[in-house]
Each structure stands twice: as structure tokens, then as C-alpha cells.
Amino acid sequence: MGKGKVYLTGAGPGDPKLITLKGLETIKCAEVLIYDRLVAPDLLEYASPDAELVYAGKLPENHTLRQEEINQLLVLHALQGKTVTRLKGGDPFVFGRGGEEAVVLAEHGIEYEIVPGVTSAVAVPAYAGIPVTYRGVASAFSVIAGFENCDKPGTSIDWARYASPGETLIILMGIGNLPSITGNLMAHGRPADTPAALVRWGTYTHQETLFGTLGDIAGKAAAVQFQNPAVIVVGEVVNLHEKIAWFQKGVPAVQI
């Protein structure tokens, strides 16, 4: 029996219509479909009726399957000659651990293909009317993993690096650490009055947005129990939402 092939596919930021045509093809051809928590359920309907569907969703405090187990599943099914699609929210190489899975597959001599997806780091702010760059306002943006404990010794995040007012910060998976994130940014020189926004369930019809500043957004989020999944946006571009907002027009932002 020959080895199968694995597709490491990005499903996009949420709205199922935002998956790429190539991504949709990999769902349809899959004999085994291993999918994450934030993959839109509607996408699973494109899978073959004979396909084996495996849920591998993760919450910060609860993983259905550990990453090592997911890696083993990819290898196991591929060695059985099956076509496997590993379907991830957003893009597989943007905090999606797709690189780790690709390395494991390469080590086992298994053919694989990377199918990029639309990352929530850019798409979710766009759906909130926030461009991550804007001439004369922000000429650069950085994407940061927010789940790391920002106060631990030896943190890999150089907060001083992100204190520049001319750069937009996009922080993924950071709601649980929001007070620490905002505190570190201000401690390293980012002004407390810097505009900030939290966008929950971005690109879905039930999208919610909470606006504030670096100094008060954590308190506002706590007051309304703002939860994941959400994208944090910090920078002057946040103010542009008042002019650019286009999605869910007429639906108010979260109020407290």
C-alpha cells in the first residue's frame, strides 16, 4: 500500500464563504477530515458522506486532542494510503501549528501540501471597519500571540518593540491575558489613550465589537464579560471604524 497525502488547509476567519476554492477542494476530496474548533460547521457539509470526520478542537483550558496526538493521526492515516485534510481556522501557518505538522509529515516521508487561508489577523479587523494599515496613520502592523503569560520570566514578547505609535498591533487569542497585555504595552511607552478594539466572532453574523482605549479596554471587557474567540486591535487605525464600518451596518457595538 502506498502512502497517502495530507493537505494542511486554512478554512479562513469564520464566514464559510471566505474559504479559498483550493481549500474547498481539499474538503471534498478528503477521506479523513481532521478539523478545529473554529472551523465553520457549514464547511463540513462539503465533505464526502464516506469521509471520516475527526474533531480536534482546542480551548485554552481543554484540548480534545493534544498536538502530539493530532500529529500521530495525520501520520497514521497517511501511512494507510488515505487522503487527509487537516482543516484549521484562519491560516495554517499563522499560530495554527501547521509548521509543526508539516515537519512531522516530512520526517515520515509523507507527501503534503499547504493550502493558505485568510487569516483572522487581517480579516476580522476589516469586518469591523478597521484597516490594519492606512497611509499617514499606520505603515506597519504586527501579529502577536496573546495566550502566552506576558508576566512570566523569560517571556518571548519584547513589549518595548511594540510601543511605537505608528504601528498597528493585532493580538490573537489574548482575551484571557488582556489586563497583562495592555499593562505591558503602557509600561513600555504606549500611551493609555491609544485606541483599542476587541472583535468577537469576527466575520460571523453575530460578530460583536467593543471599542475603548489601551487604558480602559480591559475594564470594559470585564464589565461585559467579553470572551474568546476575539481579536485585539491596538492603534490609531481603530478610529477609522466610524467612517469605514460596512459589515452589519446599523448593529451597535457592545455597550456598557
Side-chain angles (χ1 to χ4, degrees), residues 68-172:
E68 293 76 12
E69 294 174 309
I70 296 172
N71 294 346
Q72 292 171 3
L73 277 177
L74 295 174
V75 171
L76 174 65
H77 288 298
L79 291 179
Q80 292 174 347
K82 296 177 182 178
T83 299
V84 183
T85 294
R86 174 74 174 103
L87 191 60
K88 299 169 172 289
D91 181 274
F93 277 11
V94 180
F95 303 134
R97 305 188 75 169
E100 297 174 40
E101 294 170 355
V103 167
V104 170
L105 295 170
E107 290 174 345
H108 286 81
I110 295 169
E111 182 184 3
Y112 61 91
E113 184 173 338
I114 311 300
V115 183
V118 179
T119 174
S120 60
V122 174
V124 168
Y127 267 61
I130 303 170
V132 296
T133 61
Y134 192 91
R135 186 173 60 175
V137 179
S139 58
F141 70 95
S142 292
V143 183
I144 307 170
F147 55 80
E148 179 182 288
N149 183 348
C150 312
D151 300 318
K152 72 180 182 182
T155 177
S156 62
I157 301 176
D158 181 4
W159 290 106
R161 155 72 178 78
Y162 301 114
S164 170
E167 180 175 7
T168 304
L169 301 185
I170 311 296
I171 304 163
L172 306 183

